Amino acid sequence: MKSECVFCKIASGTLPTDIIAEDEHTLTFLDNNPMFPGHMLVVPRRHSETLTELPDSEIAPLFKQVRRATEALISGLGAEGSFMAINHKISQSVPHLHVHVIPRTKGDGMKGFFWPRRGYHNDEHRGETVAKLRAAFNALAT
Ligand code: DGP
């Protein structure tokens, strides 16, 4: 719990919001600036700024609730699908990990991804990128 964190305040009940579901590890509530009605945020109760800092034991409970939230959008609101997203540091306006779960329907106006697509300069650049990523993965603790 971090006293100045808005999502910690929501988790502790000091900042009211529309809570959709809660369990021992997570809280799911309506985003107050929704992309579409039903846009939810799923957050861990424990203050972790990003996914990188979230303890292993909290990963599965968080993503189980993300899965439930997306199922609820479909069964409860008639969404055809959903968009799930995490802003990690860049564009992250609240420094408490949160997963956006957003209802999608064909023709809703959200066209593909909203970020630019920049490809590789050439096959060599692509190959170098693959090599760097494989090395970085292999160097990570399991
Ligand atoms: P992001 O850009 O990924 O950091 O999204 C943060 C989201 O959090 C943004 O869509 C609005 C939402 N949000 C910020 N403050 C509050 C709040 O006090 N209550 C609720 N319900 N949502 C909030």
Side-chain angles (χ1 to χ4, degrees), residues 47-58:
H47 183 85
S48 289
E49 194 162 324
T50 69
L51 185 61
T52 314
E53 285 129 38
L54 193 68
D56 285 358
S57 59
E58 302 286 315

Side-chain angles (χ1 to χ4, degrees), residues 6-7 10 15-18 29-35 39 41 85-88 90-96 98 100:
V6 282
F7 291 171
I10 289 174
L15 182 64
T17 199
D18 289 300
F29 53 91
L30 285 189
D31 188 298
N32 69 359
N33 187 19
M35 191 177 282
H39 179 162
L41 299 174
I86 300 173
N87 281 316
H88 182 73
I90 303 296
S91 297
Q92 181 179 359
S93 63
V94 179
H96 181 134
H98 48 282
H100 294 264

Side-chain angles (χ1 to χ4, degrees), residues 10-13 15-22 26-30 45:
I10 289 174
S12 67
L15 182 64
T17 199
D18 289 300
I19 304 224
I20 306 297
E22 51 188 319
T26 69
L27 201 66
T28 301
F29 53 91
L30 285 189
R45 282 185 181 280

Side-chain angles (χ1 to χ4, degrees), residues 5 27-28 43 61 66 78 83 86 88 95 99-100 118:
C5 169
L27 201 66
T28 301
V43 308
V66 170
F83 176 59
I86 300 173
H88 182 73
V99 185
H100 294 264
R118 293 208 185 90

Side-chain angles (χ1 to χ4, degrees), residues 20 37-38 40 67-81 103:
I20 306 297
M40 289 178 276
R67 182 170 63 185
R68 287 165 66 83
T70 208
E71 285 172 345
L73 286 178
I74 291 166
S75 62
L77 296 186
E80 293 175 63

